[in-house]
């Protein structure tokens, strides 16, 4: 089994991925603009950078390799791929945008808290504690399907999970340090990734 093998894909799926990616990138840029850079910063975790790199490797590997555009664009399988990718990317964008909006000035790429930091428990955070990581996981799946690399998920998913755990360990530590019992009660009530499961 070769991790550079590419299953055939169709142009509709690639187009859905490209459009979804552009919209996701624009929403990321808007979220970055709305975040407070360093004003009133209290604590910042450099260790979460390691998690970001490992997560990025997992996501990158899901899309790594040649793309075999071998499906008839009007075939049921090519249309099915496009529908699946469109649904996944719609969930990615919806989760990311609503999460970034709920976080507001608390949003940051690297785990940190500020002196005026608030514990966000609204929007997607009312249902899961880490909705942005769920969105990135769905993005990785969409990319593997769009590029015809489903076998890459055998390595990408474990890398992504390791990177995510590194990041949430830092984030949750900072939030527990700042909010104490309030965060503990929230964590006991709301699951990390899937409501009622994880």
């Amino acid at each position: 089994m070769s991790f550079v093998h590419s299953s055939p894909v169709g142009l509709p799926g690639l187009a859905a991925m490209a459009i979804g990616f552009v919209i996701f990138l624009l929403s990321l840029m808007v979220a970055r603009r709305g975040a407070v850079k360093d004003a009133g910063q209290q604590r910042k975790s450099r260790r979460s950078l390691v998690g970001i790199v490992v997560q990025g490797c997992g996501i990158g590997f899901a899309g790594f390799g040649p793309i075999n555009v071998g499906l008839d664009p009007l075939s049921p399988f090519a249309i099915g791929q496009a529908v699946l990718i469109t649904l996944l990317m719609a969930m990615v964008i919806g989760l990311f945008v609503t999460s970034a909006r709920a976080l507001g000035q608390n949003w940051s790429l690297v785990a940190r808290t500020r002196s005026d930091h608030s514990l966000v428990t609204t929007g997607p955070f009312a249902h899961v504690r880490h909705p942005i990581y769920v969105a990135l996981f769905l993005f990785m799946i969409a990319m593997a399907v769009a590029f015809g690399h489903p076998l890459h998920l055998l390595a990408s998913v474990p890398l992504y999970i390791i990177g995510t755990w590194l990041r949430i360990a830092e984030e949750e530590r900072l939030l527990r340090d700042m909010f104490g019992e309030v965060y503990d009660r929230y964590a006991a009530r709301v699951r990390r990734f899937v409501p009622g499961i994880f």
Side-chain angles (χ1 to χ4, degrees), residues 10-193:
L11 288 175
L14 289 172
M17 187 68 205
I19 292 166
F21 180 73
V22 168
I23 295 169
F24 176 71
L25 196 59
L26 291 172
S27 63
L28 177 63
M29 291 166 56
V30 169
R32 289 284 296 159
R33 255 196 7 230
V36 171
K37 301 298 183 269
D38 289 322
Q41 191 168 316
Q42 185 184 40
R43 298 185 67 188
K44 188 172 186 175
S45 170
R46 297 284 180 196
R47 281 185 256 176
S48 70
L49 286 171
V50 175
I52 291 169
V53 170
V54 176
Q55 266 185 335
C57 288
I59 293 169
F61 189 67
F64 176 76
I67 299 173
N68 175 11
V69 186
L71 294 179
D72 176 353
L74 299 178
S75 71
F77 196 70
I79 299 299
Q81 277 183 340
V83 169
L84 176 60
I85 292 159
T86 300
L87 290 173
L88 286 169
M89 290 306 293
M91 288 189 287
V92 168
I93 293 162
L95 265 176
F96 183 80
V97 168
T98 55
S99 299
R101 186 173 295 143
L103 284 171
Q105 295 183 344
N106 291 321
W107 192 84
S108 173
L109 190 61
V110 178
R112 57 104 169 108
T113 54
R114 302 186 331 269
S115 56
D116 61 345
H117 203 94
S118 58
L119 180 61
V120 178
T121 60
T122 59
F125 296 92
H127 308 287
V128 291
R129 299 197 319 255
H130 301 284
I132 291 176
Y133 298 150
V134 174
L136 290 174
F137 182 81
L138 294 174
F139 177 82
M140 180 176 67
I141 301 296
M143 188 164 59
V145 171
F147 295 169
H149 302 146
L151 290 178
H152 291 207
L153 294 173
L154 294 173
S156 295
V157 169
L159 278 173
Y160 184 82
I161 289 171
I162 291 167
T164 299
W165 280 106
L166 289 169
R167 293 186 75 179
I168 67 170
E170 287 300 299
E171 291 173 12
E172 293 186 356
R173 180 183 61 79
L174 289 172
L175 291 170
R176 274 197 174 88
D177 288 350
M178 185 163 198
F179 298 106
E181 282 186 28
V182 174
Y183 183 78
D184 288 336
R185 285 195 299 272
Y186 168 67
R189 189 177 74 249
V190 178
R191 298 295 175 207
R192 281 189 174 110
F193 305 113

Side-chain angles (χ1 to χ4, degrees), residues 1-7 61 64-67 148-149 151-152:
M1 176 174 63
S2 169
F3 279 115
V4 295
H5 172 75
S6 183
S7 301
F61 189 67
F64 176 76
I67 299 173
H149 302 146
L151 290 178
H152 291 207

